[in-house]
Amino acid sequence: MDTSTDVLQLIEESYKTFSKGQRYIANYICSNYDKAVDMTAARLGKIVGVSESTVVRFATELGFKGYPQFQKALGELVKQRLSSVQRISLAYERLSESPDLISSVINNDIQNLKHTEEMLDREAFYKAVDLIGDARKIYVIGGRSCSTLASFLSYYLNYIFDDVRLIRSDSVTESIEEIHRIGDEDVIIAISFPRYSVKTIQTVSFAKNRKAKIIAITDGAQSPLAKYADCSIYAGSDMVSFVDSLVAPLSVVNVLLAALSMRYKDSVTDTMLSMESIWNTMNEYEHID
């Protein structure tokens, strides 16, 4: 089952079939899903007064492969339903309970990376590689905190391809002006994670109407980018204090660049040889008195 599935809706639909113990779990989750998201099956069972095995069976009864997948779905629910202030409050609560802040934040990123590796659709990923390789022009866009990812991606794509354009404008109108000649031979790579950028979504919508190919790098099927995308690459993200953790999305960008550099290694080699010559020349000028 997809982790973007609405857990509360599943619980509501299945509630009449639950045992007494499972109803205890259901009632607690419906009222406290923001707290339950970080609990192990044993911890959740202890709080509601049932065994760990009852909690695991509850998850499988809802259609999940096991408790870990159920927990990931709860995480998606938290991201969708809680405001930024609520999510920050929850993040601070988690950090305050941790005996080691450094380990807590790093382990959170490690979990996001593991989650991303598990959910990354290999077929969609290599379709993205094909679309980029076949494109006449490559556009890259990312709003808000994702602008750094877009800048990083476009910087290295320029070492591989001749026509890569980073959409820099903060305005929807100006962003659309930057891609007004986009067509069916072009591709736009859009990066967006909660809170989603309106500029990115509306620019992608315009590109879709112009028949351009759309590659979305986002957090799941519930993302507003997903409905426009010819292929979607999903990565786990989370909020640590007031900061969006983009470690896993950056890792996906790195993997995409690695795949493209391997496929077009002759082009990359030629570019790097040319750049080395330029850099060496510039270094000589810098040492002239």
Side-chain angles (χ1 to χ4, degrees), residues 101-135:
L101 175 67
I102 294 172
S103 293
S104 179
V105 173
I106 292 175
N107 284 328
N108 185 74
D109 284 335
I110 290 171
Q111 291 305 311
N112 277 328
L113 285 167
K114 288 181 177 178
H115 180 204
T116 298
E117 183 183 14
E118 291 170 3
M119 71 175 176
L120 203 153
D121 184 330
R122 270 59 175 173
E123 184 177 343
F125 177 85
Y126 286 108
K127 181 179 179 182
V129 172
D130 290 339
L131 290 176
I132 293 169
D134 293 340

Side-chain angles (χ1 to χ4, degrees), residues 200-225:
T200 300
I201 296 163
Q202 293 187 357
T203 304
V204 166
S205 176
F206 175 85
K208 188 70 173 179
N209 287 334
R210 292 297 182 93
K211 310 300 183 185
K213 305 299 186 296
I214 313 294
I215 298 170
I217 300 178
T218 189
D219 63 321
Q222 78 285 348
S223 167
L225 281 184

Side-chain angles (χ1 to χ4, degrees), residues 22 36 38-39 58 92 101 116 122 139 215 236 249:
Q22 288 172 336
D38 289 321
M39 294 181 185
F58 174 81
Y92 282 141
L101 175 67
T116 298
R122 270 59 175 173
Y139 296 88
I215 298 170

Side-chain angles (χ1 to χ4, degrees), residues 143-159:
R144 305 168 70 89
S145 60
C146 293
S147 62
T148 55
L149 295 177
S151 179
F152 181 88
L153 175 59
S154 65
Y155 176 83
Y156 283 103
L157 284 175
N158 271 298
Y159 282 103

Side-chain angles (χ1 to χ4, degrees), residues 160-174:
I160 308 173
F161 302 103
D162 292 332
D163 201 343
V164 180
R165 305 186 184 192
L166 174 63
I167 302 170
R168 300 178 182 274
S169 174
D170 292 327
S171 146
V172 174
T173 301
E174 291 177 2

